[in-house]
Amino acid sequence: MAPTPEDVDDGEQEQVEETSKDKQRQEQMKAMDKMTDMAPEKQLDESKVKQAMADLAASQKADKEAQRQREKELAAIKINKEDIDVVAAEFEIDKKVAERHLRERQGSLIETLKALL
């Protein structure tokens, strides 16, 4: 037969309470561990990071070079000033924007007007 609380000394009573508190703390710690360990931690490989950064820099450099090449090609296209005025007036846009649209369509006024409609 188990001893009743009246039969247990005060020292033993405290020990029982501490044991139950320790169990509660352990359960709380386990619950916290489960909450924080949802995703496993990953170590980043330094060489992979450096390679990814180098690839990104090379990609950006290639994009800038392609953009420069495109701008050079567009600048070589001949455009009539009257066409710029027509596009700018009809669509109420800046002349630089009108010129850009014309250059992108090889200087064709008709194609530019169709594209802007």
Side-chain angles (χ1 to χ4, degrees):
M1 181 174 203
T4 61
E6 291 100 24
D7 296 340
V8 179
D9 291 326
D10 286 336
E12 288 178 10
Q13 182 76 21
E14 288 176 9
Q15 188 177 13
V16 169
E17 287 176 8
E18 281 185 33
T19 304
S20 67
K21 286 182 183 179
D22 284 341
K23 286 181 182 179
Q24 286 178 344
R25 285 186 198 138
Q26 288 175 350
E27 289 174 7
Q28 289 174 350
M29 294 288 281
K30 285 180 184 178
M32 285 296 283
D33 284 341
K34 285 181 183 178
M35 286 178 22
T36 58
D37 289 341
M38 292 228 171
E41 293 182 23
K42 294 182 180 180
Q43 293 291 333
L44 292 178
D45 186 13
E46 189 174 332
S47 64
K48 287 182 181 178
V49 172
K50 285 183 181 179
Q51 182 62 40
M53 294 297 288
D55 292 345
L56 182 61
S59 174
Q60 288 176 342
K61 185 176 179 181
D63 288 346
K64 283 183 181 181
E65 183 59 35
Q67 183 69 23
R68 266 184 258 164
Q69 183 65 29
R70 175 75 174 143
E71 291 299 323
K72 190 176 179 180
E73 290 171 1
L74 290 176
I77 297 172
K78 303 225 185 254
I79 297 177
N80 294 330
K81 297 294 179 192
E82 296 84 25
D83 291 347
I84 295 173
D85 293 337
V86 168
V87 172
E90 289 298 317
F91 292 99
E92 298 178 358
I93 57 176
D94 188 51
K95 287 187 177 188
K96 288 192 180 263
V97 175
E99 182 180 351
R100 176 67 182 207
H101 282 288
L102 280 163
R103 288 189 186 280
E104 287 175 349
R105 285 155 190 89
Q106 309 302 315
S108 171
L109 178 60
I110 295 171
E111 290 299 316
T112 302
L113 294 174
K114 285 181 183 178
L116 291 174
L117 285 178

